[in-house]
Amino acid sequence: MKMFVKPWPLALICLVFMPGCAALSGLTAASVPNELYVLTPKSTFDADLPRLRYQIAVQEPTATASVDTDQIAVQPTPLRVQYLPEARWVDRAPLIVQSLMIESFENSGRVPAVGSSAIGLRADFLIVTDIREFQAIVPPGDSDAPLEVDVRLNIKVVDAFSDRIIASRSFEEVAQAASDEAVDVTLAFDLALGDTLRDAVEWSIREIASYGAPRF
């Protein structure tokens, strides 16, 4: 099982122990860039999904400090968090989830308008998300087993006019990585998040459709 402890950057070692090697540290850091990884929105949904007449705004998800970062989290034990070395997301995880959820709602073809709450969209309903799990984990009892990616989102649908929560539910998916290499771990993230987004979007649309028009 690979260790995910990030080594001290050479620049920091130089600062503490070798004041004269500043120029060399810059060259070394530039020669080992981080690999950047993206995730994809969901594009296939239930054909019987109802069509809405309401606008939706998706708020930036909340998350713990260990997830609210562009680093890719790994938990070797339930009480310990590390990060994949030399690999990062293209943005902070909550912003990635928000963007992909907006795209997934758009791809459903069942919502007339959906966007970020930050752009001032006059929405009928708000999608409020809390990221409960968003990390790779070492399966309990088997340190040599491939990493598993756990994604769990708690979704609340809010009537924007009354500020009333009309529905709340958690969605979770676990996907096994083919190896501990960053490319395989991120593929597992993509699979787990994609399935979670599909279920969350379909459920949200059905809840809004059954609730009806916002209460003024």
Side-chain angles (χ1 to χ4, degrees), residues 46-75:
D46 190 335
D48 295 329
L49 207 57
R51 188 175 298 276
L52 300 180
R53 297 181 291 110
Y54 313 115
Q55 297 189 128
I56 294 174
V58 178
Q59 293 188 350
E60 180 182 336
T62 57
T64 62
S66 64
V67 170
D68 190 5
T69 174
D70 63 353
Q71 298 187 85
I72 302 173
V74 179
Q75 282 190 261

Side-chain angles (χ1 to χ4, degrees), residues 8 33 60 95 129 141 163 175 185 213:
W8 280 26
E60 180 182 336
L95 291 179
T129 304
D163 288 330
V185 174

Side-chain angles (χ1 to χ4, degrees), residues 85-170:
E86 298 171 11
R88 291 178 180 268
W89 300 122
V90 293
D91 210 332
R92 292 189 296 110
L95 291 179
I96 291 175
V97 172
Q98 180 189 32
S99 175
L100 296 181
M101 185 172 289
I102 291 171
E103 288 188 66
S104 296
F105 270 111
E106 292 172 339
N107 292 343
S108 73
R110 299 299 194 273
V111 183
V114 59
S116 165
S117 57
I119 65 174
L121 177 68
R122 190 178 181 85
D124 301 303
F125 293 93
L126 305 176
I127 304 298
V128 181
T129 304
D130 181 33
I131 302 176
R132 301 287 175 83
E133 307 288 347
F134 198 77
Q135 69 278 325
I137 58 176
V138 177
D142 190 356
S143 61
D144 293 324
L147 294 174
E148 293 179 345
V149 169
D150 187 6
V151 174
R152 180 159 64 98
L153 307 178
N154 178 265
I155 308 293
K156 292 179 176 63
V157 181
V158 179
D159 181 329
F161 294 93
S162 66
D163 288 330
R164 177 173 177 262
I165 298 173
I166 68 169
S168 178
R169 182 175 169 183
S170 288

Side-chain angles (χ1 to χ4, degrees), residues 1-7 34-35 37 70-75 81-89 136 147 149 179-186 189:
M1 180 65 204
K2 293 184 178 179
M3 296 300 294
F4 298 100
V5 176
K6 296 183 70 174
N34 286 316
E35 293 285 344
Y37 290 91
D70 63 353
Q71 298 187 85
I72 302 173
V74 179
Q75 282 190 261
V81 178
Q82 299 176 315
Y83 298 96
L84 288 182
E86 298 171 11
R88 291 178 180 268
W89 300 122
L147 294 174
V149 169
S179 75
D180 293 343
E181 295 299 321
V183 63
D184 288 326
V185 174
T186 54
F189 267 101

